[in-house]
Amino acid sequence: MNNLLSIVKANLQKGKGQAVTLLVFVLISALLMNLGLLLMIGFGNFFEEHSEALNAPHLALLEEKRVFDQAHIDYLKNYPGVTDVEHEQTIAFMADFLYGEGKMPAFFFLVNASKTRTMNDLTLIEGTRPQATNDVCLPYLFKAGGYSIGDDFVMTVGDRVLTYTITGFTDEILFGSINNQTYQLYVTDAGFKSALDRMPEFDCMLIKARFDDPAISQRVRLDCINEFYYKTSVEGFETLYTSSMEWVGVKSVRTLMSSITSLVLVIFSALIILVSLLVIRFRIRNTIEESMTNIGALKAVGYTGRQLLWATVLQFCAIALVGIVIGIAVSYALLPVVSDVLEQQTSLQWIQGFDPLLSTLAFFGILFVVFIVSWATARRIQKLHPLVALRQGLSTHSFERNHFPLEKTRGPLSLLLAAKSAFQAKGQMVMITIIVTVVSFMAVAGLAVYDNLGLNSRNFAFLLAGEIPDAAFMVRTPEDAERIMRDIKKDNNVRKAFYNQDVYVMTNNVQVRNVTAEDFGLFEGAMLYEGQYPRHSNEICVSGALAAMQDLAIGDSVRISLGGNSADFLIVGLIQSVNNYGFSTATTIEGLQRVQASFRPQQMFVYLEDTENTAALVDRISKTYDASLESAINMDELMVAQLSMYGNIFFLVAVVLLVVTALVILLVLYLMMRTVILRRRRELGIKKALGFTTLQLMNQLALYFVPAIFFGVALGGVLGALGFNPLFVAVSGNMGIMSASMPTPVIMTVIACLTLVVISYAFALLIALRIRRISAYTLVTE
Amino acid sequence: MTTNIITTNKLCKTFSTGGVQQHVLRNLDLQIQKDDFTVIMGASGSGKSTLLYALSGMDSPTLGEITFNEEMISKKSSDELAVFRRRNCGFVFQQIYLCDNMSLMDNVMASGLLVSKSRKGVASKAEELFDQVGLSTQDWRKFPAQLSGGEAQRGAVVRALINSPSILFADEPTGALNSAMGLAVLDLLTEAHQRGQSVVMVTHDITSALRGSRILYLKDGVICGECVLGTYEGADDKRKETLRAFLAEMGW
């Protein structure tokens, strides 16, 4: 064993630079793998554990005080699986406020901080409880939105302006995510009374419940809506639609970004591992070639093939082991940074300690594949006859074909010599091509992610939201809706306006979000991906996720239920949506009225000729119809505010992918060039002696790699350009996305690819500078 | 009247290893004459090869000057020396030093195309030279590993001659060959010299040295003796005796 270790030690000392390069590869793999796993599994678990730690409600229903009934509490208490129910008075209202770069509307619950509650009571992450009448504690997400303790927090409710001083940031599960736009604010007892005096019409009751199994939260919510609203048809329950929150849905949106990021990281780490394995294979093969005489000598003095095989395997596993340990350690060090970035979307202060299970998985997973590849590649040592090894393995050399014979082939001498070398090392070239293709694909995918999800994110927003107007108005009564719609349509700036409202219905015991629209022909998003939108009252579109789950297809019929009534529909198209886990349907208004005759839409989607005028329209409608409006949302502004958050995250993802790609290519080049220079030292010396200049030789070496890099980059670029869209759909299919139009930015891609080639060539020249040191004299006297 | 092709003036070469300086060539003043077959002899470590590579521009002197056809080469940069070598020098090494990833023809072409732009011209001259050294088409299409040592060294002579160099440098060209192969290579060098080619050869082999027209004996980095044998027309007894006497005088 000591002998083996001394061979390993000697080999490691001999090739320090290459060992370090390999170590970096393994380190990056382990880092990304551990981060990906921690995000994918650790973050999901963290949400659940944190939710339990706060005793967070699994359902929160909001009712206007005038329609609140103790019977509703009783209904919930008697609901199977419900473990705890509590309720409290709240002031619930829609208000505009500043967040990040723009103004945003959101739904606010003002609650009394002096009251105690069993579920997710006021828990400060930072600051102190409110003391003065105008003090407020906001959910932690507002900190990511640019607020600090001591800042003013201003909300505009119609004509009323509410100004508070921030004293603390709270830990919220249901009411703390930017995607849900529903926030709970804590004020003092005096502050609560003061606000109630100013806004008595917003006096509401917040009912919260916890269940044995939070997974039932969606069903309970829908049953409550059916029970309290549709069965009674009492006006005043609209808020139940817009503001009730359930745990499963909140978890889904609050872990969305971590899911996407972790997926990217895990895929990326798998690709880097693949690259590392190829490099390890290359290095072992070269080590065998370079150490051929040593192997022969060691075998001649009595070392067995098995001993030498294990020495090689041990050498590479030792490098991998160190790389993995450092990589995992670095991933934990980076976790707070990742957590900070994610915090913008998740609003959760994710503090992840060492996870022995996941890190052990990453550790042994990578070590195992390194071991297998090392062992499989190094097996050649066992078969090598000592005499053949002592003769530099000459019997294994094969120059069967002379590529580009110089007496016949036209072209610049350096290029021809480079091409000859490249063709003689086809294996290496194929390996470089594969590596460069893989990393270029990742780089192009990174650019596409940034371009589609960060820079020009409207397509992505359409995928997330289904249909995005310039402005959306929700009114209190159907009568108001008709009146306001007439006014909106008269506005010269308005391009089109139609009713469109999400209504939660049931089909085969599954809660489904039904997009209920006046005319789907007016839609601009990419919701429909097969068939056609419903035009008649008996037609319906179902989402791909729902169709897959219930084995539905175009031409089948499906039964929709709401408030105890139901009707059958003919499926005429397939739609996609990420909302409600991808379970959606779409019917015309008349269609939904076949299920719920009393249904009349109260939400309007408005599109303007010039989006510059959106704010003015929203302002005018808000002022004119203040009392009738439930909400008036400038969607353009909201998009800017919300998507800027995605932009930041995806910009980071793209930068990481591009930097790692460049790093991988450069490391591979470094490793290859070092090896080639070492192995062709003699040839380079001969050429120097014959009169080749250093620049000519540098060019030959650099050009030797360029075709493989160029081809790899081109292939990766083309694959990235063609494959990103299908890959995006495949990866996001479980989110409900079945079809997407995510074009790869052509100019950006071409520039990135050319840059990669140029950088690679320049870097190769830089490494080739080493040959300045090999003098012809040194060669002949060595 | 003979003209000098290479002249050295107080040529010094010092190597420094681990802080210890070793003066290999000491203030050498030397003239190599055009059309001569100069043989440099001496004991191991006397500085023969060092002198050869300094004269050929493969290495730069520590001090002193080297003039090649009245052009000072001792101050040239590494790349300038490379261009100088390709235009003026041919090399035959003991270890042959053919690029083993190229066919014999490619080895020759790679050297020829450094100087000439005419691919056909170089190829045609290479074929002619291969023919002269007794290598067939089948031979020059092979890779060095597929050739015998003698065949490879003959190929190396072709490579050395492809650019019609002003001077041919040979460093122990028969050192790695058996006697028959060695003689064949020596014949090639002799023929080249008889055709008017200047040759400088380093050897410690008397049989090889007999081919030279002028013998220089190097001892501790200094030329300590010179023997003129005249153009080789066969290894007659008188030639052998003259050389033996000279070497005996030198303490060989």
Side-chain angles (χ1 to χ4, degrees):
Chain A
M1 191 63 190
N2 281 341
N3 290 345
L4 280 191
L5 288 177
S6 60
I7 294 173
V8 171
K9 196 177 156 196
N11 286 342
L12 285 173
Q13 278 175 343
K14 191 180 155 199
K16 279 195 225 72
Q18 294 175 347
V20 168
T21 314
L22 265 181
L23 189 130
V24 171
F25 271 114
V26 178
L27 189 154
I28 295 172
S29 311
L31 190 159
L32 295 177
M33 178 65 88
N34 200 48
L35 261 186
L37 288 175
L38 284 172
L39 274 174
M40 193 177 271
I41 299 162
F43 192 80
N45 290 342
F46 168 75
F47 183 85
E48 288 175 19
E49 286 161 11
H50 194 58
S51 184
E52 282 308 298
L54 292 172
N55 201 36
H58 296 137
L59 177 69
L61 298 170
L62 187 72
E63 294 182 1
E64 291 181 29
K65 188 101 179 267
R66 60 195 171 88
V67 296
F68 171 71
D69 190 337
Q70 181 61 34
H72 299 159
I73 304 290
D74 297 337
Y75 174 82
L76 263 174
K77 278 183 175 167
N78 294 322
Y79 198 99
V82 172
T83 55
D84 195 9
V85 180
E86 70 174 356
H87 64 281
E88 69 175 302
Q89 190 183 12
T90 182
I91 305 164
F93 53 91
M94 180 71 90
D96 287 334
F97 67 105
L98 282 173
Y99 188 88
E101 295 166 14
K103 205 165 81 173
M104 237 205 259
F107 212 84
F108 291 97
F109 296 172
L110 222 59
V111 295
N112 190 338
S114 60
K115 296 242 167 99
T116 51
R117 44 192 75 73
T118 58
M119 296 180 211
N120 202 165
D121 199 3
L122 195 159
T123 310
L124 286 165
I125 292 178
E126 197 180 321
T128 55
R129 295 172 75 93
Q131 303 289 329
T133 310
N134 280 342
D135 285 353
V136 71
C137 282
L138 303 175
Y140 187 60
L141 120 109
F142 284 80
K143 197 178 175 196
Y147 290 98
S148 303
I149 289 170
D151 285 354
D152 278 349
F153 180 64
V154 181
M155 291 176 283
T156 312
V157 189
D159 288 339
R160 284 165 288 196
V161 177
L162 308 176
T163 305
Y164 288 94
T165 304
I166 303 168
T167 63
F169 294 109
T170 61
D171 206 350
E172 292 287 342
I173 295 295
L174 288 195
F175 307 112
S177 157
I178 192 162
N179 300 75
N180 297 110
Q181 293 170 58
T182 304
Y183 310 116
Q184 185 162 270
L185 313 184
Y186 291 88
V187 293
T188 59
D189 188 44
F192 188 80
K193 283 174 183 155
S194 161
L196 197 56
D197 287 343
R198 289 184 69 187
M199 304 181 290
E201 73 274 28
F202 298 134
D203 190 5
C204 291
M205 198 60 81
L206 185 60
I207 306 166
K208 293 180 278 186
R210 276 179 61 81
F211 316 127
D212 281 332
D213 176 10
I216 65 168
S217 63
Q218 289 192 312
R219 163 167 293 281
V220 182
R221 172 179 179 264
L222 197 63
D223 284 345
C224 286
I225 291 170
N226 282 334
E227 187 69 24
F228 306 162
Y229 180 36
Y230 289 115
K231 280 192 182 171
T232 56
S233 291
V234 175
E235 193 184 297
F237 277 108
E238 295 82 7
T239 45
L240 219 51
Y241 275 132
T242 51
S243 339
S244 63
M245 306 285 284
E246 43 79 22
W247 188 88
V248 174
V250 170
K251 183 190 171 190
S252 162
V253 296
R254 291 189 81 164
T255 53
L256 174 73
M257 194 54 66
S258 68
S259 303
I260 295 175
T261 313
S262 61
L263 201 65
V264 170
L265 287 176
V266 168
I267 291 174
F268 205 50
S269 70
L271 292 174
I272 298 283
I273 289 169
L274 176 74
V275 169
S276 308
L277 295 179
L278 284 170
V279 170
I280 285 170
R281 186 174 163 273
F282 167 79
R283 271 306 307 146
I284 292 178
R285 288 169 74 102
N286 272 291
T287 303
I288 295 171
E289 293 286 332
E290 287 161 14
S291 321
M292 194 66 85
T293 321
N294 290 345
I295 292 169
L298 290 169
K299 278 197 170 184
V301 298
Y303 277 88
T304 64
R306 184 187 289 267
Q307 281 177 308
L308 298 175
L309 164 71
W310 284 111
T312 308
V313 172
L314 209 62
Q315 176 188 339
F316 285 89
C317 284
I319 295 170
L321 194 126
V322 176
I324 297 168
V325 169
I326 299 174
I328 289 176
V330 173
S331 74
Y332 278 106
L334 282 178
L335 219 48
V337 180
V338 178
S339 177
D340 281 352
V341 175
L342 282 178
E343 208 173 275
Q344 293 180 41
Q345 193 265 337
T346 62
S347 325
L348 284 169
Q349 203 183 35
W350 179 35
I351 299 161
Q352 171 74 50
F354 177 69
D355 188 321
L357 190 69
L358 292 181
S359 298
T360 306
L361 190 71
F363 179 88
F364 283 108
I366 297 173
L367 195 61
F368 177 72
V369 288
V370 168
F371 168 77
I372 292 293
V373 168
S374 307
W375 179 77
T377 316
R379 270 191 314 167
R380 187 182 159 209
I381 295 172
Q382 259 186 310
K383 295 174 193 161
L384 212 55
H385 192 278
L387 279 178
V388 174
L390 281 169
R391 286 183 199 131
Q392 290 281 324
L394 274 181
S395 73
T396 61
H397 285 176
S398 168
F399 298 110
E400 285 169 4
R401 196 169 158 205
N402 183 19
H403 299 276
F404 308 110
L406 294 180
E407 74 273 22
K408 291 178 186 164
T409 319
R410 292 178 173 277
L413 184 60
S414 288
L415 193 68
L416 290 178
L417 291 174
K420 284 175 85 71
S421 303
F423 267 78
Q424 276 166 354
K426 283 194 282 285
Q428 274 180 33
M429 294 303 119
V430 168
M431 189 193 87
I432 294 175
T433 306
I434 292 173
I435 291 173
V436 175
T437 302
V438 168
V439 291
S440 304
F441 176 83
M442 293 189 299
V444 173
L447 283 176
V449 164
Y450 174 53
D451 188 56
N452 287 286
L453 278 62
L455 208 58
N456 307 304
S457 47
R458 203 166 176 85
N459 280 344
F460 180 56
F462 272 125
L463 284 176
L464 288 180
E467 181 69 17
I468 305 168
D470 295 320
F473 301 97
M474 183 80 177
V475 295
R476 288 176 179 278
T477 67
E479 292 73 25
D480 288 339
E482 286 168 19
R483 193 160 53 93
I484 296 169
M485 181 63 105
R486 277 196 297 276
D487 184 359
I488 288 171
K489 283 187 171 173
K490 276 186 210 162
D491 194 313
N492 288 337
N493 286 318
V494 172
R495 181 157 56 90
K496 61 186 172 187
F498 56 85
Y499 291 110
N500 180 26
Q501 188 165 335
D502 289 353
V503 177
Y504 283 88
V505 297
M506 294 291 283
T507 174
N508 291 332
N509 289 324
V510 175
Q511 177 190 268
V512 172
R513 165 183 159 265
N514 186 59
V515 181
T516 319
E518 182 185 351
D519 181 358
F520 286 99
L522 298 172
F523 271 41
E524 294 182 353
M527 205 166 73
L528 182 83
Y529 70 91
E530 200 176 324
Q532 61 183 47
Y533 276 123
R535 280 179 290 200
H536 305 289
S537 64
N538 66 333
E539 292 177 344
I540 195 168
C541 281
V542 296
S543 63
L546 185 66
M549 190 179 79
Q550 300 196 349
D551 198 19
L552 298 170
I554 293 173
D556 290 349
S557 72
V558 64
R559 175 162 293 180
I560 297 294
S561 309
L562 181 65
N565 305 314
S566 57
D568 291 332
F569 290 84
L570 176 70
I571 300 172
V572 293
L574 296 175
I575 57 170
Q576 57 182 343
S577 165
V578 299
N579 290 323
N580 196 43
Y581 307 100
F583 297 145
S584 294
T585 53
T587 64
T588 60
I589 291 167
E590 293 77 21
L592 190 66
Q593 283 168 344
R594 287 177 57 228
V595 187
Q596 186 75 35
S598 61
F599 174 78
R600 286 167 71 193
Q602 288 159 261
Q603 180 163 284
M604 290 161 276
F605 273 23
V606 183
Y607 299 76
L608 278 79
E609 295 288 354
D610 182 356
T611 51
E612 293 284 308
N613 299 318
T614 312
L617 177 80
V618 172
D619 197 42
R620 181 176 75 76
I621 297 294
S622 301
K623 281 180 178 157
T624 314
Y625 302 102
D626 182 31
S628 307
L629 280 177
E630 186 79 38
S631 67
I633 303 172
N634 180 341
M635 295 295 285
D636 295 327
E637 208 168 51
L638 183 66
M639 285 255 297
V640 170
Q642 283 210 340
L643 292 175
S644 66
M645 164 194 78
Y646 288 101
N648 293 340
I649 293 170
F650 288 121
F651 176 71
L652 195 72
V653 169
V655 167
V656 168
L657 291 183
L658 274 173
V659 168
V660 174
T661 300
L663 190 70
V664 167
I665 290 182
L666 297 186
L667 281 176
V668 168
L669 260 179
Y670 172 76
L671 203 65
M672 296 282 185
M673 290 286 285
R674 285 288 302 264
T675 307
V676 166
I677 290 172
L678 205 66
R679 291 192 64 188
R680 293 174 58 188
R681 193 180 162 81
R682 180 175 169 274
E683 181 197 326
L684 292 168
I686 295 170
K687 284 181 175 167
K688 267 200 169 185
L690 294 178
F692 281 85
T693 61
T694 303
L695 189 66
Q696 278 178 313
L697 296 178
M698 280 165 62
N699 255 320
Q700 275 175 39
L701 282 173
L703 287 169
Y704 169 63
F705 290 103
V706 163
I709 289 170
F710 182 82
F711 190 62
V713 166
L715 194 63
V718 170
L719 286 177
L722 297 178
F724 175 69
N725 208 44
L727 184 71
F728 178 81
V729 172
V731 166
S732 52
N734 62 350
M735 286 163 56
I737 294 170
M738 299 294 165
S739 161
S741 174
M742 297 274 181
T744 310
V746 178
I747 294 176
M748 218 191 280
T749 302
V750 170
I751 291 173
C753 288
L754 286 177
T755 309
L756 280 178
V757 173
V758 172
I759 288 178
S760 303
Y761 180 68
F763 187 69
L765 277 179
L766 196 70
I767 306 169
L769 265 176
R770 284 173 59 85
I771 61 172
R772 271 188 317 178
R773 285 186 238 156
I774 308 174
S775 77
Y777 181 75
T778 310
L779 166 88
V780 291
T781 52
E782 258 180 358
Chain B
M1 181 189 163
T2 54
T3 51
N4 293 336
I5 187 168
I6 300 174
T7 308
T8 69
N9 180 23
K10 300 199 184 310
L11 179 65
C12 294
K13 184 70 186 178
T14 304
F15 292 107
S16 192
T17 316
V20 180
Q21 288 202 326
Q22 192 188 356
H23 303 287
V24 181
L25 300 177
R26 300 161 188 259
N27 294 317
L28 268 181
D29 291 325
L30 173 71
Q31 289 86 38
I32 303 288
Q33 282 141 16
K34 211 168 187 176
D35 305 333
D36 239 357
F37 191 137
T38 309
V39 172
I40 303 170
M41 295 190 79
S44 289
S46 59
K48 303 187 294 288
S49 293
T50 305
L51 175 62
L52 184 91
Y53 293 124
L55 296 178
S56 63
M58 196 101 94
D59 196 17
S60 298
T62 311
L63 281 173
E65 293 171 352
I66 303 169
T67 311
F68 186 94
N69 278 341
E70 297 178 0
E71 182 189 0
M72 178 88 79
I73 63 164
S74 45
K75 305 286 182 212
K76 282 182 186 288
S77 70
S78 162
D79 279 351
E80 284 169 341
L81 281 175
V83 175
F84 159 77
R85 287 196 299 271
R86 73 168 74 144
R87 286 185 182 147
N88 298 290
C89 309
F91 292 93
V92 181
F93 305 100
Q94 179 181 357
Q95 293 87 347
I96 303 170
Y97 289 142
L98 288 169
C99 295
D100 55 12
N101 60 342
M102 293 199 280
S103 70
L104 199 51
M105 176 57 111
D106 279 349
N107 267 284
V108 175
M109 290 296 294
S111 193
L113 289 173
L114 271 176
V115 174
S116 170
K117 299 282 175 203
S118 166
R119 192 170 305 278
K120 275 188 183 169
V122 176
S124 148
K125 186 172 178 190
E127 283 181 34
E128 193 182 310
L129 287 168
F130 277 129
D131 193 42
Q132 280 176 24
V133 303
L135 291 172
S136 67
T137 310
Q138 282 169 329
D139 292 330
W140 53 252
R141 280 187 179 151
K142 288 179 181 170
F143 288 89
Q146 296 167 314
L147 295 164
S148 69
E151 286 170 333
Q153 190 63 297
R154 277 185 278 157
V157 172
V158 173
R159 181 180 64 181
L161 295 173
I162 190 71
N163 291 328
S164 306
S166 312
I167 189 161
L168 191 65
F169 293 95
D171 183 9
E172 308 266 15
T174 61
L177 306 175
N178 62 32
S179 56
M181 296 275 192
L183 278 176
V185 170
L186 286 174
D187 286 344
L188 289 175
L189 296 179
T190 308
E191 283 165 24
H193 175 240
Q194 284 166 348
R195 286 196 299 269
Q197 175 74 58
S198 307
V199 179
V200 177
M201 179 172 76
V202 163
T203 187
H204 61 260
D205 171 41
I206 294 177
T207 312
S208 302
L210 282 169
R211 303 299 178 110
S213 56
R214 182 182 176 220
I215 315 293
L216 301 175
Y217 197 87
L218 204 62
K219 193 173 183 181
D220 297 330
V222 181
I223 302 282
C224 58
E226 179 181 348
C227 170
V228 178
L229 293 175
T231 306
Y232 178 80
E233 283 166 358
D236 54 47
D237 289 345
K238 188 185 169 200
R239 195 176 182 90
K240 284 180 189 169
E241 194 48 46
T242 308
L243 180 59
R244 276 201 192 101
F246 169 70
L247 291 175
E249 191 187 330
M250 292 295 113
W252 177 261

